[in-house]
Amino acid sequence: MARDRAEELVRLVVDLYGAGLARLLDLLYEQGRLDDAVLDAMAGDPLVAGLLLVHGLHPNDTQTRVRGALDSVRPYLASHGGDVELVEVTDAGVVKLQLTGSCDGCPSSATTLELAVEGAVRDAAPEITEIEVLAAPKAAGVIPIASLRVRTAGADAPARSGDWQAVPDATALVQGRAEARVVGGVAVVVCAVGQELYAFRDRCGSCGASLAGAALHRRAGAGAGAAVLRCPACGAHFDVPRAGVGLDSPDDRLEPLPLLMRDGGVDVAVPVGA
């Protein structure tokens, strides 16, 4: 009984806040102050956007917010030579996506979806009920892999294979060098290449040694965004923007980790049990 009363009190307080927030928006509108610039600023502020979302007052619909979330993870997917497209958001709250490029059919597609896409979509649209990944047009239908179906509500939701963790001292990252960090108990290196950041397990794909402090080089004739990491122990070379593929041997490669720059910080998805 006491718990029921407490829950009812919380509900009443939340409803009161929601009504007050709705009235505030009405007053701004009546005064001609609620223009597109103000709405965009509200939607772009994580704290304000979260409050609006809780009370059903967010200016952007679910599809718009999902598209924005996908845009935020495109740099990571592009580092794997892939991309993601929003196919549909159904009335039942199911988000249907299609992985393209090298992501489609890749054995790591499940991890790419769950770690790089799921978190961003959940944050932007917590009301969605399910995420489905569709096969490429040449093989229509839903990919029959249970791990690609991520339920975001309900007691039967499968456990996530990883979680986003903040990178310590992200503002101190140095250009042109593999910076070592411990993220969620896992040793990683973060490489700053121009305006982009890339994260990998701190383990050489050739000899297994640490990559901490390794210098990043640009091959002759390569573009401004190119960067090659040289292992300080064995001298093996890896292409940083291309997901750490080995340049000396295609069988040797670094292990990339999903990375997002958001809310003024840097987060890396560290697999559970790593």
Side-chain angles (χ1 to χ4, degrees):
M1 182 66 70
R3 180 175 180 177
D4 292 340
R5 289 178 179 175
E7 290 179 348
E8 177 65 13
L9 179 60
V10 170
R11 186 188 66 78
L12 291 174
V13 171
V14 171
D15 288 346
L16 177 62
Y17 286 160
L21 189 56
R23 181 56 182 153
L24 176 61
L25 294 176
D26 287 340
L27 291 174
L28 288 173
Y29 178 77
E30 292 169 2
Q31 296 297 318
R33 303 292 182 87
L34 197 62
D35 55 19
D36 290 342
V38 173
L39 290 173
D40 289 342
M42 289 181 174
D45 185 285
L47 178 58
V48 176
L51 288 173
L52 295 174
L53 200 57
V54 167
H55 298 291
L57 299 171
H58 199 286
N60 296 333
D61 60 17
T62 301
Q63 181 164 302
T64 300
R65 285 181 276 120
V66 170
R67 289 188 184 280
L70 297 180
D71 287 342
S72 72
V73 298
R74 289 192 198 284
Y76 169 71
L77 296 178
S79 73
H80 290 264
D83 200 354
V84 61
E85 298 296 335
L86 175 62
V87 177
E88 180 186 11
V89 178
T90 71
D91 293 338
V94 178
V95 174
K96 297 184 179 182
L97 306 174
Q98 181 174 300
L99 296 175
T100 60
S102 61
C103 288
D104 177 48
C106 174
S108 64
S109 289
T111 301
T112 300
L113 169 68
E114 188 169 354
L115 297 182
V117 179
E118 178 198 353
V121 172
R122 277 182 169 180
D123 288 345
E127 70 272 22
I128 66 171
T129 58
E130 188 175 350
I131 297 175
E132 289 185 4
V133 177
L134 306 181
K138 61 183 179 182
V142 178
I143 298 176
I145 302 177
S147 61
L148 291 182
R149 297 173 61 84
V150 183
R151 296 188 180 276
T152 60
D156 59 343
R160 298 175 65 181
S161 63
D163 199 8
W164 293 100
Q165 302 283 341
V167 175
D169 299 323
T171 57
L173 294 172
V174 178
Q175 288 278 343
R177 188 173 68 192
E179 292 279 306
R181 296 288 189 274
V182 176
V183 182
V186 176
V188 306
V189 289
V190 181
C191 303
V193 181
Q195 298 299 314
E196 300 294 339
L197 296 178
Y198 303 89
F200 304 92
R201 288 280 193 97
D202 185 12
R203 184 171 57 220
C204 174
S206 179
C207 69
S210 171
L211 300 169
L216 304 182
H217 306 278
R218 191 170 71 185
R219 288 181 293 176
V228 174
L229 183 152
R230 182 179 183 274
C231 174
C234 69
H237 297 84
F238 303 92
D239 193 321
V240 172
R242 293 179 56 211
V245 64
L247 298 177
D248 305 310
S249 171
D251 294 329
D252 297 334
R253 65 182 306 150
L254 304 181
E255 182 179 346
L257 298 173
L259 180 148
L260 285 178
M261 292 180 281
R262 56 184 179 181
D263 300 341
V266 179
D267 293 346
V268 169
V270 179
V272 170

